[in-house]
Amino acid sequence: MRITILTIGKPRTSFVLDGVSEFMKRIQRFGDVTLLHLKESANATDIEKYAKRSQLILLDEKGTEYTSASFAKMLDACAQQSVDLVFCIGGADGHTPDVRLLPHKTMTLSHLTLPHEMALLFFVETLYRSLTISAGHPYHRD
């Protein structure tokens, strides 16, 4: 299973960049994960290029909520079925209407509205946590 994280726009805040860099380094031990930053003007056609044979999951405050353990189980199920995943984090104004028309699932990190840069940081930590749960690594504690 390959995982791609798409962001609309590139983070600029130093502590977000540092945190994302740290968790992406850690993630590489557990999975094939790529982080790509698309231009603010990215549209559905741009996103479709990366999600052709993958399950597209939009991060959205109205999406399905997972616990760390249930997210790990979802990732495990996708890995067993050889389903590649593309997670897309919208820009400052969220996902555009044309992106929402793409076949997709939605996932929320919180029912709170998060700035898109913070959503990226929280998501890479969540992904790391879930991958460590699947690997039996002691990072996550119940």
Side-chain angles (χ1 to χ4, degrees):
M1 170 184 67
R2 286 179 291 154
I3 297 174
T4 303
I5 305 166
L6 298 178
T7 66
I8 308 303
K10 187 172 183 175
R12 290 176 173 66
T13 308
S14 62
F15 74 90
V16 170
L17 292 168
D18 292 344
V20 169
S21 176
E22 176 62 29
F23 281 107
M24 288 301 295
K25 281 186 223 168
R26 293 181 187 192
I27 284 170
Q28 298 311 312
R29 292 180 37 208
F30 298 99
D32 181 5
V33 180
T34 304
L35 173 60
L36 300 171
H37 305 291
L38 303 181
K39 294 180 181 180
E40 288 283 342
S41 60
N43 58 31
T45 304
D46 300 320
I47 291 168
E48 278 182 310
K49 291 176 189 174
Y50 297 99
K52 282 188 178 183
R53 291 184 228 17
S54 305
Q55 172 66 59
L56 176 62
I57 302 173
L58 302 181
L59 273 70
D60 185 277
E61 65 189 31
K62 296 177 183 119
T64 301
E65 189 172 39
Y66 292 92
T67 63
S68 297
S70 66
F71 187 51
K73 286 180 186 177
M74 186 275 284
L75 293 174
D76 289 343
C78 290
Q80 289 174 358
Q81 298 170 16
S82 297
V83 174
D84 293 336
L85 300 172
V86 174
F87 292 93
C88 186
I89 300 170
D93 296 320
H95 296 290
T96 59
D98 67 327
V99 170
R100 290 184 180 281
L101 292 175
L102 295 171
H104 68 278
K105 293 183 179 181
T106 57
M107 173 185 166
T108 187
L109 296 172
S110 170
H111 291 295
L112 300 170
T113 301
L114 299 173
H116 64 288
E117 287 190 358
M118 293 299 293
L120 172 60
L121 179 56
F122 292 160
F123 180 71
V124 293
E125 190 283 335
T126 298
L127 181 59
Y128 174 70
R129 179 178 298 276
S130 295
L131 292 170
T132 63
I133 290 170
S134 295
H137 186 279
Y139 178 76
H140 177 74
R141 295 183 277 265
D142 287 321

